[in-house]
Amino acid sequence: MPRSSDEELGARIHGIAAPVTDGLGVELEEVEVRGQKGSRKVRLVVHAEGGLDIDVIARVSRRVGEALDEQDVIDGAYTLEVTSPGADRALRSARDFARNLGREVRVTHLAESGGGETVGTLMAVDEDEVRLEVEASEVAIPLGNVDHGKVVLPW
């Protein structure tokens, strides 16, 4: 579990990096900070409609690195890693689900809402719920009851 100082640093980095990524047409999804002072690893997870290529990742890395160095928010040396969300990344927000419309997903329910899983084709999503087609029926699942979702990979 990350220490609160890592979380605070992650929030500061997010505040600096998000305007840079937005300006490059890339969405900053997550900032993760690990390691100790002087040897930190900062990992940015970014998304772009149509996908990311190595040139975009390099531009994001260079420009965010320059912004972080200019504002001197990280004490000592650090490594900046820029990556795209993996195919097996957890879906947590309406936006995460919306990117996967038409795909088969496995939704894991919160224990407080009865637990379990629902697997089906993601038909619709809004800020309140996800709707899946399950065996020719539509099932609505409130987002407040969702722990996470995963795209069911074809292999």
Side-chain angles (χ1 to χ4, degrees):
M1 169 179 255
R3 295 179 312 275
S4 87
S5 63
D6 287 348
E7 291 171 6
E8 292 166 10
L9 180 56
R12 290 181 63 204
I13 291 168
H14 191 282
I16 293 167
V20 175
T21 57
D22 289 349
L24 293 170
V26 176
E27 180 184 341
L28 178 59
E29 289 192 1
E30 184 180 341
V31 174
E32 181 180 297
V33 178
R34 293 192 183 248
Q36 302 298 318
K37 179 180 173 181
S39 64
R40 292 204 187 270
K41 180 176 181 180
V42 176
R43 183 172 184 257
L44 307 180
V45 178
V46 297
H47 172 80
E49 291 302 321
L52 293 166
D53 64 31
I54 193 71
D55 293 330
V56 173
I57 290 173
R59 270 195 305 276
V60 169
S61 180
R62 184 174 49 255
R63 296 215 182 130
V64 169
E66 289 168 354
L68 294 175
D69 291 347
E70 181 179 296
Q71 297 203 26
D72 199 25
V73 294
I74 304 170
D75 289 335
Y78 68 95
T79 301
L80 178 62
E81 175 185 316
V82 179
T83 187
S84 63
D88 62 346
R89 181 175 188 268
L91 310 175
R92 299 199 186 277
S93 69
R95 185 172 53 198
D96 292 341
F97 280 98
R99 288 190 190 118
N100 291 285
L101 287 172
R103 298 179 87 182
E104 186 175 12
V105 296
R106 178 181 316 276
V107 177
T108 302
H109 305 265
L110 290 169
E112 304 86 64
S113 66
E117 295 181 334
T118 304
V119 178
T121 302
L122 184 57
M123 302 306 293
V125 63
D126 60 33
E127 292 301 316
D128 298 317
E129 66 184 14
V130 295
R131 289 188 293 286
L132 305 178
E133 182 179 316
V134 179
E135 298 178 8
S137 296
E138 189 169 297
V139 175
I141 305 167
L143 271 173
N145 292 347
V146 173
D147 180 64
H148 69 278
K150 292 263 186 168
V151 172
V152 176
L153 299 173
W155 52 84

